[in-house]
Amino acid sequence: MTESTQVAIVGAGPAGLVLSHLLRRAGIDSIVLENRTRAYVGQRVRAGVLEQGTVELLDQLGLSERLHREGLVHHGVLLTFGGRRHRIALSDLTGGRSITVYGQQELVKDLIAGRLAGGAPILFEAEDVSLADLDTARPLVRYRHGGASHELRCDFVAGCDGFHGVSRPSIPSGVLSTYERTYPFAWLGILAAVAPSSDELIYARHQRGFALHSLRSPDVSRLYIQVDPSDRLDNWTDDRIWQELRARLATDDGWTLHDGPILERVIAVHHSFVVEPMQYGRLFLAGDAAHIVPPTGAKGLNLAVADVRVLAQGIADWYATGATAALDGYSARCLARVWRVQEFSSWMSTLLHPLPGESAFDERLVRARLDWICRSEAAARSLAENYVGLPFE
């Protein structure tokens, strides 16, 4: 079966879905292909911190009603080290900007519902997706759906299918340069049915390792502890997890961590990854298909949204006037932001995680950096500006 559309979007994660809404606003047709089921896509737990710029874009698209009703707006974050807690006043330091805690899976549900309500297609369980003719004016996407083979001709392909997707490997060998780093630590993350013990996120550096207290709703907490990348989930009982969290998040003022039933747990290795360029012919990579950042700075989802914001404008310019400047400059514009975010995420990660073989001297240097962030308004403002999200040009 041969079909045609203007833009073929591979992947129904935040990048692909937000792009589809941006294109629709510009009067541009698209088809979204997703190899997973709708139920799976809507329940996989990922990032939960939205920058203000991301929220503002969702406002413009009319997709933020539930986000504003159920999301948790934060005006600061807490740093814990040396048994004391220090608040970084994000909004005070950035002219009123903030972050919103709202689970990625909930955002994806909203994006799917909005697209389907408008009658636009998302083909879930699209199998055997392959890309061809990417260096021509009419790329080809082949896939199987509903037991039948399909060929989809389009003007552009948006590769939004993640790190393990088919889009990036479809680019010929030798075109891309790869830059990556694997960090010597991982996170054991849990989702717990217990009210959060803090109204704001807590980042803790402790001699036993890093810990993070986050939240997903007034009744559900999200927490993380630093573990060795080779560690296994079966080494961690519920009691051991809560004991370690209490030790690492403890403060001298007697603050108490509430515990409760653990709903799920996962170990995630920290990895930085970037490919350059982010485009080849009529294929444009976005989100995790082009870059991965460690989760310490809460940037992955927001960076994906920033990519497709640039891409949508370039595609819209092309259809409106035939201009190619924005599309030609897609990689350069996105990568400037990608590397700024990579630097911030790497800095946050190495600042807050004790590293294997770290000496007493190294520990004292880190303590001095943390003290300076909490004492210097300029240092705190730099952290805050990066954390709430850089402005869009």
Side-chain angles (χ1 to χ4, degrees):
M1 299 177 62
T2 302
E3 302 148 327
S4 178
T5 191
Q6 291 176 294
V7 182
I9 301 174
V10 184
L17 291 169
V18 171
L19 176 61
S20 75
H21 284 281
L22 288 168
L23 294 175
R24 185 170 182 234
R25 183 176 65 169
I28 299 167
D29 291 333
S30 64
I31 293 177
V32 179
L33 304 175
E34 169 58 49
N35 68 341
R36 301 284 193 170
T37 66
R38 180 179 179 180
Y40 179 89
V41 171
Q43 68 184 9
R44 53 186 173 190
V45 177
R46 293 290 188 273
V49 175
L50 304 183
E51 298 174 353
Q52 180 155 328
T54 300
V55 174
E56 290 170 349
L57 180 61
L58 295 169
D59 289 339
Q60 296 168 21
L61 292 170
L63 296 166
S64 60
E65 179 183 356
R66 190 163 73 97
L67 183 159
H68 286 298
R69 187 173 67 248
E70 300 179 10
L72 305 172
V73 179
H74 288 195
H75 299 283
V77 294
L78 303 169
L79 299 181
T80 299
F81 57 94
R84 300 184 63 185
R85 193 152 290 155
H86 310 263
R87 185 172 187 267
I88 305 299
L90 299 176
S91 297
D92 293 346
L93 292 163
T94 60
R97 298 176 70 80
S98 61
I99 58 169
T100 300
V101 175
Y102 188 65
Q104 175 175 312
Q105 72 276 19
E106 302 305 322
L107 174 59
V108 167
K109 290 174 186 175
D110 298 341
L111 295 170
I112 290 173
R115 180 169 173 84
L116 296 180
I122 304 176
L123 302 183
F124 294 101
E125 300 180 82
E127 301 175 322
D128 300 328
V129 176
S130 63
L131 312 181
D133 300 341
L134 296 173
D135 56 350
T136 72
R138 293 289 284 174
L140 175 65
V141 181
R142 294 187 177 95
Y143 65 97
R144 289 186 56 80
H145 187 257
S149 296
H150 299 254
E151 292 191 347
L152 176 64
R153 287 287 179 181
C154 55
D155 295 322
F156 301 100
V157 179
C160 307
D161 50 347
F163 183 75
H164 299 289
V166 302
S167 296
R168 190 178 66 255
S170 298
I171 296 175
S173 176
V175 172
L176 300 178
S177 297
T178 300
Y179 306 89
E180 59 186 323
R181 169 186 292 173
T182 299
Y183 296 84
F185 47 79
W187 278 4
L188 168 57
I190 66 166
L191 198 67
V194 59
S197 304
S198 170
D199 294 332
E200 295 181 323
L201 277 70
I202 304 172
Y203 288 84
R205 180 184 169 102
H206 190 275
Q207 61 186 6
R208 299 174 68 93
F210 168 82
L212 170 61
H213 177 289
S214 184
L215 50 160
R216 285 296 177 267
S217 75
D219 303 311
V220 177
S221 298
R222 186 76 167 162
L223 303 108
Y224 302 88
I225 52 175
Q226 176 183 349
V227 297
D228 187 89
S230 64
D231 214 335
R232 298 167 53 88
L233 286 175
D234 53 18
N235 293 331
W236 290 88
T237 64
D238 289 12
D239 287 344
R240 185 186 177 197
I241 291 172
W242 288 115
Q243 180 181 1
E244 201 63 33
L245 282 165
R246 281 190 291 270
R248 299 186 191 188
L249 292 167
T251 55
D252 296 338
D253 61 5
W255 174 84
T256 301
L257 174 67
H258 307 307
D259 60 28
I262 295 177
L263 305 175
E264 64 177 57
R265 69 195 75 201
V266 65
I267 290 179
V269 174
H270 284 215
H271 185 207
S272 287
F273 175 87
V274 182
V275 293
E276 297 183 6
M278 291 171 55
Q279 63 196 91
Y280 170 74
R282 293 290 184 92
L283 168 64
F284 296 84
L285 304 178
D288 288 0
H291 43 72
I292 298 285
V293 293
T296 318
K299 294 299 172 191
L301 183 157
N302 298 288
L303 198 55
V305 171
D307 288 345
V308 298
R309 187 172 186 153
V310 175
L311 179 55
Q313 186 59 60
I315 293 175
D317 287 353
W318 187 86
Y319 280 113
T321 68
T324 64
L327 286 175
D328 293 342
Y330 170 74
S331 286
R333 188 172 175 190
C334 288
L335 285 167
R337 192 181 191 95
V338 167
W339 281 111
R340 171 84 293 272
V341 169
Q342 286 284 3
E343 193 281 330
F344 174 70
S345 299
S346 178
W347 174 79
M348 281 276 286
S349 296
T350 54
L351 178 71
L352 294 170
H353 293 76
L355 302 177
E358 192 170 79
S359 68
F361 182 86
D362 295 329
E363 172 61 29
R364 290 292 187 178
L365 287 180
V366 171
R367 177 64 178 269
R369 293 185 189 113
L370 288 167
D371 283 335
W372 183 242
I373 292 168
C374 298
R375 291 171 51 205
S376 164
E377 182 176 317
R381 179 174 289 110
S382 178
L383 188 158
E385 287 175 345
N386 282 275
Y387 197 87
V388 301
L390 302 174
F392 290 98
E393 298 177 4

